[in-house]
Amino acid sequence: MLFNIFMLIAGLGALVWSADKFVYGAAAFARNLGLPPMLIGLTIVAMGSSAPEMFVAATASMEGMTDTAIGNVLGSNVANITLILGITALLGAISVSSQTLKREIPMMLVATAIAGYFLHDGQLTRLEGGLLLVLFFMLMGYLIWHAVTNKQKDTLAEEADNEIPKDVPTLNAIFWVVVGMILLPLSADWMVQGAVGIAKAFQLSDLVIGLTIIAVGTSLPELAACVAGVLKKEDDLAIGNIVGSNLFNILAVLAIPGLIAPGAIDAAASTRDFYMVMATSTALAVLILLTGKQRQLKRWHGGVLLLTFIAYQAVIFLS
């Protein structure tokens, strides 16, 4: 058990660190190649927060643990809204003013509904995985087109530009890309193996592993980003990070088990857990809209979201 706990913690730490270094190197290399900062920010930097989920999903799928991969996506999306935004909102009210967010929240709801339609029959096929990936690339294309053609100032776009490293020698950038490419799959495997060992000791299913231990672990980078955003008074960055991460998870990450290990999934994933993802995603939009012109997540909203996360975890373990 102690070895499995060590594997889980070491894997998670290495996963988060290597994802950060990979994004750092890739973004710096792209800047050195002369790619527009807006393009880099909306692709490489934006995908950085979902890199842990991507590699965990790929690793679990290749090891035949499709339910763990799917549970990781669903559990991460629930954790992002209830746990991460819940904790962040408790630090202070989070305002939503960006035009990008007003567009991305409906996109998140539509993408979630599409994923739910694919999952409702208890199967995730290779065709459905391919369609999710196509939708992901269409979304990225739209966001890039909108950023290029829209002249209105946007907080998220500016922040993405600011996060791209400057004056990094090309060899250094390539070095960190290579380090990330080596450590990301290795650390994802360590984390999955550690989580599986712990789960087996407590006789937990593959789905529960993904929904709980792995989902919360891979959501930790979002917690750091959100807290940092609120402390810097960049509220849009906090919610934008969550909405963007959930969009990437439901389209790009969920596509991975469909493409690598298509087939039947745990019935609870297509009912209880998907309904929870849809409910919390809708609740985020409703809570913001109910505050009228303020467009805020208030402290008491954060408390409700956090209690929701605790109740959901209790239901999972008691089921």
Side-chain angles (χ1 to χ4, degrees):
M1 175 62 77
L2 287 177
F3 178 73
N4 288 323
I5 293 173
F6 171 77
M7 286 282 286
L8 175 67
I9 295 173
L12 175 60
L15 186 68
V16 172
W17 182 83
S18 57
D20 180 67
K21 291 303 180 184
F22 176 78
V23 171
Y24 171 85
F29 183 62
R31 181 186 281 276
N32 291 351
L33 288 178
L35 296 180
M38 183 68 69
L39 175 62
I40 301 170
L42 288 173
T43 54
I44 298 171
V45 174
M47 284 190 285
S49 62
S50 289
E53 285 91 346
M54 287 182 180
F55 279 87
V56 166
T59 300
S61 298
M62 287 187 288
E63 295 180 4
M65 300 170 62
T66 305
D67 286 331
T68 298
I70 292 173
N72 181 33
V73 173
L74 301 179
S76 290
N77 278 25
V78 172
N80 281 346
I81 292 175
T82 58
L83 175 64
I84 309 304
L85 277 185
I87 291 174
T88 306
L90 286 174
L91 298 176
I94 307 173
S95 299
V96 183
S97 58
S98 170
Q99 290 298 318
T100 300
L101 283 178
K102 292 177 183 178
R103 183 181 65 250
E104 287 177 351
I105 288 178
M107 283 182 175
M108 178 182 68
L109 293 173
V110 171
T112 303
I114 291 172
Y117 176 75
F118 288 163
L119 295 174
H120 86 281
D121 60 353
Q123 302 273 336
L124 184 60
T125 67
R126 187 164 280 119
L127 173 61
E128 290 166 341
L131 288 173
L132 287 173
L133 199 58
V134 168
L135 288 173
F136 169 72
F137 284 118
M138 288 176 62
L139 171 67
M140 293 307 300
Y142 170 74
L143 291 178
I144 293 168
W145 170 81
H146 187 272
V148 170
T149 58
N150 186 27
K151 302 302 181 182
Q152 187 171 356
K153 178 181 177 181
D154 189 274
T155 306
L156 289 180
E158 290 186 350
E159 185 59 31
D161 288 353
N162 293 334
E163 289 186 16
I164 302 171
K166 301 175 178 66
D167 302 320
V168 179
T170 300
L171 283 178
N172 287 7
I174 294 173
F175 170 77
W176 288 118
V177 169
V178 172
V179 168
M181 290 178 67
I182 293 172
L183 277 183
L184 276 167
L186 283 176
S187 54
D189 184 60
W190 297 341
M191 185 177 178
V192 169
Q193 294 305 321
V196 168
I198 295 170
K200 284 182 177 178
F202 291 99
Q203 297 183 324
L204 301 176
S205 69
D206 286 354
L207 178 63
V208 172
I209 298 170
L211 288 168
T212 56
I213 302 171
I214 294 179
V216 173
T218 54
S219 293
L220 292 180
E222 279 85 357
L223 176 60
C226 285
V227 170
V230 169
L231 292 179
K232 291 189 293 185
K233 305 299 182 183
E234 295 170 346
D235 292 4
D236 272 356
L237 180 60
I239 295 187
N241 181 65
I242 293 300
V243 174
S245 178
N246 281 14
L247 262 172
F248 277 61
N249 285 347
I250 210 72
L251 294 178
V253 184
L254 190 60
I256 293 173
L259 293 171
I260 296 177
I265 63 174
D266 192 309
S270 58
T271 53
R272 177 196 65 193
D273 303 314
F274 167 73
Y275 295 152
M276 188 64 181
V277 174
M278 195 73 223
T280 52
S281 299
T282 304
L284 174 62
V286 171
L287 287 175
I288 294 171
L289 290 173
L290 286 179
T291 59
K293 293 183 179 179
Q294 289 181 307
R295 294 288 193 271
Q296 285 184 333
L297 275 183
K298 299 182 179 294
R299 277 196 169 95
W300 73 267
H301 293 157
V304 171
L305 290 172
L306 196 55
L307 288 174
T308 301
F309 172 78
I310 295 171
Y312 177 54
Q313 295 298 302
V315 168
I316 291 173
F317 282 108
L318 295 175
S319 296

